[in-house]
Amino acid sequence: MNQFLTELRRRNVFRVAAAYLVVGWLLMQVTTLIETPLGLPGWTDTLVIVLLGLGFPVAVLLAWAFEMTPEGMRPTAAVPEGESIAPQTGRRIDFAIMGGLALVAALVIGSQFMPSRQAPTAATTATVPLDARSVAVIPFAAWSTSEEDRFFADGLTEEILNSLAALPDLLVTSRTSAFQFRGDNLPSIGEIAAQLGVAHVVEGSVRRSGNQVRVTVQLIRASDDAHLWSGTYDRVLDDVFGIQEDIAENIAALMGVALDDRLRERLRQSGSRNVEAFIAYQRGYEIMARHHFTDSSRMIEAEPYFEQATELDPTLSQAYLLQADYYAHTMVDLLVDPGIFQEAEYAELAAEAERLIAAANANADDPDRLLLARGEQIFFSDDWTDAAAVTDQIFDQERCLDSNWATNLAFLASRFDDFIDNDLRLLRCDPLAHQTRLLTATIMMHAGRAEEAVAHVELLEANNYVDPFLRPNLNLALGRRTSEADLAAWREDDPVNARLFEISQASYFGDRETANRLAAETLANPDLPLRTRLIVNALIGNREGANAAAALIDARPTRGLPLMMAVVSCKCGAPFDIEATPNFQAQMEAAGFPWPPLYGLEFALKDG
């Protein structure tokens, strides 16, 4: 055995094996470095590993069987012992190994301490104008077909986005708009920036391999497609989210945003540090986004993922808040159900919503999110003592955070103009949030600003976002009739809402015969939701019928929510008398909100 080992050493087999491993490692680093810039497929590095693995035994066998001589490669057995130059060859291999190890050390040290290939300088940061301090972070590409890796990449992208959004002097596009740009056939960076209204775009890629993660990121100036900064980070999974602070600091420096200790601490505290929790959160978020405005009952499908996320990371405030949204929508449906009120079912839903909102409140990671969680807590309670003060604070905050239900308190405060201004601010950082733009246009119609609403409606239609209610309601606010052809098409697709609009149009133009006939047909439906019954009666001037429906809602808990929605849907000022709803009246007085609402269209047939 000793003789065999001695022969292996004499033939430099061990040296060749060591040199092969060092060179192979270096080849892998070069492959991963050039893979993304050259657009190579995600399996390129896997192929290189396989080829290197297959080549290793071949290299070892060649080292055993052949020797390098001045005349070239010759079988070892054919080289006389006195003519062998194996010792000299071994020394050359030793030098090659030492050089390779030096390169390995340099690469390892460089990846830890020098992640940026181009660092920001004082000269670049000093010349950034204020209006150029805007950026969108589009979804990082996952170099894998695994669905879990895509959610992981989404989570990392959102963490970076949230870190940048924590900087008050930087305009950052919200997730709703930025995440619409994913996939292979994307527009150019300039086109993406134009649609999002920003001067810069951050893009990147994520590669997972076991417990190792490689993240590449680059900041691109849209005006000339210049790559202002790029970085490559190699991390283990447990440390991967820590790179967000470094990325945010580099981007902030390039845009002239100064970071103090308070802002750096906010960067460190942003988001979750549990990888599996964030993957679960991303799964739940995708389900919520898919069904929120189409079929809210299906939002329950997200619940297992949000529960998993908060079990793994109990501080994930936003997961609690999104999970509560399903219960909120289900509560609204029960509150306007025309049948006998299901108190036990409602109590279970309300208790779960209250628990989740309280958890979101307790775990909010910054003052702005804490404020929004507090607003939702008030909105779903019957105690509105602090409602006006919290609404003021929500409108004063400058972050681009979707308040969901909380700002709806502004409807009952008759603060439509403030609500519009708040939505316009949100649209600046979330320009493709079509539901926000839809609501903005709708409230503009309430507030007598229909001409301003036209631009928003046209923009929605240009983006192929067509809400059948929107154009007819805009016509009404502008004093125009909707054509019979358009109404016929609407009746085909959505007969319930089309009928409600026809009653509104007849009431607006004083066509009593048509309004009463359509209202009688509608009110004959025993399953008609109480909110719709209230609005129809209000539009035809049947104040007694409107008050009766409002009183039924008022007898139920959390009545402020469905009664507020009746005010918004009717667009007619006060659709009922406040005296018919004593519980709601007490809430309004506790909040200091005025009645009747100050805005609304003038319907010729409406009483009062």
Side-chain angles (χ1 to χ4, degrees):
M1 183 65 180
N2 289 336
Q3 184 178 358
F4 176 66
L5 292 175
T6 300
E7 188 64 16
L8 286 174
R9 284 193 292 270
R10 188 187 74 80
R11 299 190 185 197
N12 295 316
V13 173
F14 292 130
R15 288 186 172 96
V16 168
Y20 188 95
L21 292 174
V22 172
V23 173
W25 190 92
L26 290 171
L27 282 173
M28 277 301 305
Q29 302 313 302
V30 172
T31 301
T32 53
L33 187 66
I34 67 173
E35 188 173 30
T36 299
L38 294 182
L40 299 176
W43 44 261
T44 301
D45 52 355
T46 303
L47 177 63
V48 172
I49 292 173
V50 170
L51 293 176
L52 287 172
L54 294 173
F56 182 75
V58 175
V60 171
L61 286 173
L62 289 174
W64 170 265
F66 292 91
E67 180 178 332
M68 178 64 70
T69 70
E71 292 79 26
M73 294 287 291
R74 295 175 59 189
T76 303
V79 179
E81 187 173 345
E83 298 179 13
S84 174
I85 60 169
Q88 297 94 311
T89 302
R91 284 192 291 274
R92 294 191 188 99
I93 296 175
D94 287 339
F95 288 129
I97 292 172
M98 287 188 287
L101 289 174
L103 283 174
V104 169
L107 284 172
V108 171
I109 295 172
S111 67
Q112 295 298 317
F113 298 102
M114 299 176 61
S116 307
R117 291 194 296 272
Q118 178 184 345
T121 64
T124 59
T125 59
T127 58
V128 179
L130 289 177
D131 59 0
R133 292 176 181 172
S134 55
V135 63
V137 186
I138 62 176
F140 282 22
W143 287 102
S144 165
T145 57
S146 166
E147 187 180 54
E148 182 171 286
D149 283 356
R150 177 174 67 82
F151 286 118
F152 174 78
D154 283 355
L156 181 59
T157 305
E158 186 171 1
E159 287 289 86
I160 295 169
L161 188 157
N162 289 339
S163 293
L164 291 171
L167 306 177
D169 295 329
L170 193 61
L171 175 68
V172 182
T173 302
S174 291
R175 173 185 174 133
T176 310
S177 293
F179 271 50
Q180 294 189 34
F181 296 96
R182 68 159 78 245
D184 297 326
N185 300 315
L186 290 177
S188 68
I189 291 297
E191 291 171 319
I192 292 174
Q195 290 188 52
L196 298 178
V198 295
H200 304 85
V201 173
V202 174
E203 64 175 8
S205 64
V206 180
R207 181 190 306 280
R208 291 177 69 184
S209 178
N211 195 43
Q212 299 295 314
V213 182
R214 165 161 290 198
V215 179
T216 61
V217 59
Q218 50 193 345
L219 174 68
I220 305 169
R221 185 169 57 211
S223 60
D224 55 4
D225 205 35
H227 289 55
L228 302 180
W229 170 80
S230 62
T232 300
Y233 301 83
D234 290 296
R235 295 288 190 271
V236 295
L237 272 178
D238 292 342
D239 296 334
V240 69
F241 286 116
I243 68 173
Q244 68 194 48
E245 183 182 352
D246 183 80
I247 292 172
E249 287 204 20
N250 277 292
I251 293 173
L254 275 163
M255 296 191 188
V257 177
L259 296 181
D260 55 23
D261 290 340
R262 178 182 58 84
L263 290 177
R264 286 191 174 88
E265 181 62 24
R266 178 177 285 189
L267 293 182
R268 282 189 286 271
Q269 293 179 351
S270 175
S272 174
R273 291 297 183 272
N274 186 301
V275 174
E276 296 305 318
F278 221 87
I279 290 175
Y281 170 81
Q282 295 299 323
R283 288 182 181 273
Y285 183 98
E286 185 171 279
I287 293 171
M288 289 284 292
R290 186 187 311 134
H291 299 304
H292 187 262
F293 297 110
T294 56
D295 183 1
S296 60
S297 66
R298 294 194 60 184
M299 293 193 299
I300 189 64
E301 296 171 16
E303 185 167 37
Y305 298 111
F306 288 139
E307 286 184 349
Q308 180 186 1
T310 52
E311 284 176 6
L312 293 167
D313 183 356
T315 68
L316 206 52
S317 175
Q318 192 65 8
Y320 294 114
L321 210 55
L322 290 179
Q323 188 179 352
D325 201 36
Y326 160 74
Y327 294 94
H329 280 269
T330 310
M331 287 162 61
V332 171
D333 291 339
L334 278 181
L335 289 171
V336 296
D337 190 289
I340 298 173
F341 183 57
Q342 304 297 319
E343 293 188 31
E345 182 181 356
Y346 183 86
E348 290 181 10
L349 292 168
E352 186 63 8
E354 183 179 358
R355 180 189 72 82
L356 292 166
I357 294 174
N361 197 347
N363 291 285
D365 54 10
D366 63 60
D368 291 331
R369 292 191 184 278
L370 179 63
L371 177 64
L372 296 181
R374 174 61 182 144
E376 299 223 355
Q377 202 170 34
I378 291 173
F379 190 64
F380 285 100
S381 76
D382 290 329
D383 181 4
W384 285 7
T385 305
D386 298 329
V390 171
T391 304
D392 283 340
Q393 294 173 54
I394 289 173
F395 286 149
D396 286 342
Q397 61 101 10
E398 298 179 354
R399 294 275 296 284
C400 189
L401 298 174
D402 183 7
S403 57
N404 200 14
W405 294 95
T407 49
N408 290 328
L409 291 166
F411 295 146
L412 294 175
S414 290
R415 295 178 60 174
F416 292 121
D417 290 334
D418 287 335
F419 187 95
I420 291 168
D421 290 344
N422 185 67
D423 269 12
L424 292 176
R425 177 178 60 81
L426 292 178
L427 285 171
R428 178 69 183 91
C429 53
D430 205 358
L432 302 184
H434 299 316
Q435 282 291 332
T436 302
R437 194 173 298 281
L438 171 64
L439 189 56
T440 303
T442 302
I443 304 307
M444 282 179 170
M445 299 174 204
H446 272 269
R449 296 166 60 176
E451 295 292 345
E452 292 179 60
V454 172
H456 293 281
V457 173
E458 291 176 345
L459 188 55
L460 286 167
E461 293 174 346
N463 282 285
N464 298 317
Y465 186 87
V466 180
D467 184 283
F469 242 137
L470 191 55
R471 178 61 70 170
N473 274 296
L474 179 60
N475 289 339
L476 208 60
L478 294 170
R480 305 168 185 165
R481 287 185 179 272
T482 295
S483 71
E484 179 57 32
D486 288 340
L487 285 175
W490 191 4
R491 290 189 204 104
E492 188 73 23
D493 293 336
D494 188 0
V496 175
N497 285 322
R499 173 57 57 85
L500 184 57
F501 173 77
E502 288 185 86
I503 296 171
S504 298
Q505 181 169 261
S507 175
Y508 185 87
F509 289 107
D511 184 352
R512 186 173 297 278
E513 180 182 353
T514 301
N516 287 342
R517 174 175 56 81
L518 296 176
E521 295 173 2
T522 302
L523 295 171
N525 178 8
D527 296 326
L528 192 69
L530 289 176
R531 183 175 64 241
T532 308
R533 186 172 296 277
L534 189 165
I535 294 169
V536 170
N537 277 299
L539 289 171
I540 63 174
N542 182 3
R543 199 69 166 184
E544 183 178 346
N547 285 341
L552 288 174
I553 297 174
D554 186 64
R556 299 174 178 181
T558 326
R559 76 282 302 172
L561 193 157
L563 291 175
M564 176 276 297
M565 295 178 73
V567 171
V568 176
S569 299
C570 190
K571 293 182 288 296
C572 59
F576 57 90
D577 295 321
I578 192 71
E579 294 77 16
T581 55
N583 296 316
F584 177 63
Q585 183 178 21
Q587 281 183 257
M588 294 287 286
E589 290 174 354
F593 292 163
W595 189 267
L598 301 180
Y599 303 105
L601 304 182
E602 294 291 335
F603 290 86
L605 301 185
K606 178 175 173 288
D607 180 21

